[in-house]
Amino acid sequence: MEITKKIPVPTLALQGKWDSINIGVGVIAALGDPSHICLLRNMKEKSLAVVACDGKDNMSIRVPEGFLELHKSFKIHSKQFVYETLTGWGLDPEKTYSFKGEYLEEQKMVVFCLKTMNL
């Protein structure tokens, strides 16, 4: 009998007070444990996407080594990105907002949408 490990729900939090983006282990697991990720922001649709990318990409962020086995989440600090995203979406830049994402297999990305978030 084969035991399959369940992939946790992909989660992401925008933490205005700490100018950070908290990426949950489910995001990295859904993307197949990449070495680097990129964040894509759509201000009009009020959504964020996380995709696996090459470490040479301008906006690449290195995933901590052994992340899936050792961690539950990691933080990316970016005052400008977090502030612009929260204020652009009409949210309080001092608060934390948590999102549950959806893995889109065809696009190979995890998407987080404000419209589906519980505020």
Side-chain angles (χ1 to χ4, degrees), residues 1-26:
M1 182 169 142
E2 187 179 319
I3 299 173
T4 56
K5 192 173 180 183
K6 188 173 184 255
I7 293 178
V9 173
T11 59
L12 177 142
L14 294 173
Q15 300 174 311
K17 189 174 182 179
W18 294 282
D19 303 321
S20 64
I21 303 131
N22 201 32
I23 305 287
V25 70

Side-chain angles (χ1 to χ4, degrees), residues 26-60:
V27 175
I28 304 306
L31 294 173
D33 197 15
S35 63
H36 292 78
I37 58 170
C38 288
L39 295 172
L40 308 173
R41 176 175 62 186
N42 184 325
M43 295 305 284
K44 197 175 195 178
E45 292 295 319
K46 296 185 178 181
S47 66
L48 288 173
V50 181
V51 297
C53 66
D54 190 300
K56 295 176 183 137
D57 290 345
N58 280 346
M59 299 299 288
S60 69

Side-chain angles (χ1 to χ4, degrees), residues 41-81:
R41 176 175 62 186
N42 184 325
M43 295 305 284
K44 197 175 195 178
E45 292 295 319
K46 296 185 178 181
S47 66
L48 288 173
V50 181
V51 297
C53 66
D54 190 300
K56 295 176 183 137
D57 290 345
N58 280 346
M59 299 299 288
S60 69
I61 300 153
R62 189 178 68 77
V63 176
E65 204 157 315
F67 177 70
L68 290 182
E69 294 81 33
L70 303 173
H71 306 282
K72 295 205 185 312
S73 65
F74 73 98
K75 286 186 191 300
I76 301 164
H77 294 276
S78 177
K79 184 174 188 169
Q80 182 177 354
F81 185 92

Side-chain angles (χ1 to χ4, degrees), residues 49-116:
V50 181
V51 297
C53 66
D54 190 300
K56 295 176 183 137
D57 290 345
N58 280 346
M59 299 299 288
S60 69
I61 300 153
R62 189 178 68 77
V63 176
E65 204 157 315
F67 177 70
L68 290 182
E69 294 81 33
L70 303 173
H71 306 282
K72 295 205 185 312
S73 65
F74 73 98
K75 286 186 191 300
I76 301 164
H77 294 276
S78 177
K79 184 174 188 169
Q80 182 177 354
F81 185 92
V82 173
Y83 181 82
E84 286 177 358
T85 302
L86 292 175
T87 58
W89 292 357
L91 302 173
D92 184 340
E94 289 296 309
K95 291 189 175 176
T96 294
Y97 297 91
S98 296
F99 301 83
K100 286 184 180 174
E102 178 183 358
Y103 178 66
L104 304 178
E105 193 167 347
E106 205 169 291
Q107 291 89 353
K108 296 192 181 336
M109 65 173 54
V110 180
V111 178
F112 302 88
C113 189
L114 177 65
K115 295 173 191 169
T116 61

